Amino acid sequence: MSLILAIVVIGLATYLTRVLPFLLGRHARHLSAWMGPEGPFAALGPSLIAALAALTWTPLGARALEGEAAAPLLTALAATVAMLAWRRDAGLAVVAGVVVYAVVALF
Amino acid sequence: MADAGEHPPLSPARGEPGPGASFGAGLRAAAPIMIGYAPVAIAFGAAGQAAGLGAPEVIATSAVVYSGASQFLMLTALGSGTALPAVAALCIALNLRHLLYGPLVMARLPAAAAVRFLYAFSLTDEVFASTLARSGGGTLPARWLLGLGAGAYGAWVAGTALGVFVGDALAREAPAAAAATGFALPALFLALAWLNVTRATVAPMLAAAAASVPFAVVGRSGLALLAGGLAGVVVAWAQRRFFRKRRASPQGAGEGRTRP
């Protein structure tokens, strides 16, 4: 299956989650019961994000344990966490991590 | 994309657009979102390029999907060979929170279906938060809403295109810096996880991370995400059940303690 088709399918699926309440009208309040803070799927989004974090950090951690690019990784991790603690902004945290990684990797 | 909680709520008197608020006023209201989106969009463009996608494909992903977390998930999962239906299902699961946004802002939107459907396309965490912050009592003007959505969307797609260009130039001129762009994706998920931690979510998120690691070690991305999502939902359910029991029988909560 082509990548363009994948993009279209995932785009439609994403739009569906955004537009469904408007299509359902007043029946949309039932969605809140399932997805709200007391609903059974309230933790699904944060859990998937945590799983994604673990998924992307596992190979980096394994390579760092073998000594490959450990210094840039650890300093970039520290910079990312420091920026998060300071500004609570995902964009700035990513930029800080990438910039520090690049600078340390150069030396 | 950035945490919805970063935008301070505006009082209706100061922040709510008047009935004649223009498309331009909506664009100006989107400025904080645009500033927040730019670095993440640039990182996505560079990461897509580093993952071997062509420039049109990377930019089309931002233009069509328009969801930061889903797009990075897509890069991760498709890159490791996860089947398309599984990737689509994971993206839907990740975006289920959007189902909450519509009911909360619906009463403030114009009744025209075309406006609602267009606005829905732009309904990211940050656009939702900005709309809610301006919801004082009356209906928000359609032009202002569309300006708000268009500003955020334009910044996301333009930032991605810039990231593709910068990523390509970096790969040619500075390979060390290009390698650093590979750090963008783990950094983004770490940041999103950090911003999602609350007292209610910390245990489910830890369970999700722990459940996904064994599958991540053997390179099974799809299974890692499914296991993580399932573990998180189960732990959240157990957590609610435990706390409800404690609230229902306060005497039992202190059992085993030797002092108050």
Side-chain angles (χ1 to χ4, degrees):
Chain A
M1 198 167 277
S2 76
L3 181 63
I4 291 296
L5 184 58
I7 292 167
V8 171
V9 168
I10 293 168
L12 284 173
T14 302
Y15 181 60
L16 185 67
T17 63
R18 288 173 174 155
V19 81
L20 191 61
F22 300 107
L23 294 172
L24 291 176
R26 61 191 174 83
H27 300 294
R29 66 180 185 279
H30 298 302
L31 293 172
S32 304
W34 283 82
M35 302 307 308
E38 295 297 316
F41 295 110
L44 183 57
S47 298
L48 282 173
I49 288 171
L52 279 161
L55 184 60
T56 50
W57 276 93
T58 298
L60 288 181
R63 283 206 298 273
L65 284 176
E66 292 167 4
E68 186 186 333
L73 180 69
L74 292 176
T75 47
L77 171 62
T80 304
V81 170
M83 185 59 82
L84 279 170
W86 180 35
R87 299 296 300 268
R88 285 188 63 82
D89 185 306
L92 288 177
V94 170
V95 170
V98 169
V99 167
V100 168
Y101 192 108
V103 169
V104 176
L106 276 174
F107 295 102
Chain B
M1 294 186 198
D3 175 39
E6 73 187 50
H7 305 292
L10 298 171
S11 66
R14 186 163 62 92
E16 185 166 4
S22 64
F23 185 85
L27 279 179
R28 285 193 294 278
I33 304 177
M34 296 160 80
I35 292 167
Y37 278 6
V40 184
I42 291 169
F44 176 77
Q49 191 87 345
L53 271 62
E57 292 158 338
V58 179
I59 296 167
T61 304
S62 277
V64 175
V65 178
Y66 185 39
S67 170
S70 285
Q71 291 177 221
F72 278 102
L73 182 153
M74 193 180 141
L75 272 190
T76 306
L78 287 178
S80 62
T82 305
L84 171 61
V87 177
L90 288 166
C91 287
I92 291 173
L94 192 60
N95 286 324
L96 282 178
R97 69 188 185 283
H98 292 147
L99 291 172
L100 280 178
Y101 297 165
L104 290 171
V105 297
M106 199 180 301
R108 307 301 321 283
L109 303 184
V115 173
R116 291 185 167 202
F117 294 165
L118 265 177
Y119 171 80
F121 182 77
S122 71
L123 194 51
T124 61
D125 300 348
E126 295 75 15
V127 168
F128 163 73
S130 294
T131 304
L132 210 60
R134 268 80 169 186
S135 295
T139 303
L140 293 164
R143 284 174 298 183
W144 184 88
L145 284 165
L146 296 180
L148 177 74
Y153 178 71
W156 183 251
V157 177
T160 302
L162 184 61
V164 168
F165 171 74
V166 169
D168 197 32
L170 277 179
R172 284 196 312 270
E173 307 296 334
T181 61
F183 183 75
L185 196 147
L188 177 73
F189 285 127
L190 175 67
L192 291 175
W194 179 288
L195 296 172
N196 271 278
V197 169
T198 65
R199 184 181 285 184
T201 61
V202 65
M205 289 177 75
L206 286 173
S212 64
V213 165
F215 295 102
V217 168
V218 294
R220 302 298 299 269
S221 303
L223 285 177
L225 294 172
L226 286 173
L230 184 64
V233 168
V234 168
V235 168
W237 171 81
Q239 195 171 244
R240 280 196 305 274
R241 190 177 168 86
F242 171 70
F243 281 116
R244 276 180 188 158
K245 272 189 175 175
R246 281 188 63 176
R247 278 202 296 268
S249 59
Q251 303 93 327
E255 281 176 8
R257 293 169 67 183
T258 55
R259 58 188 169 82

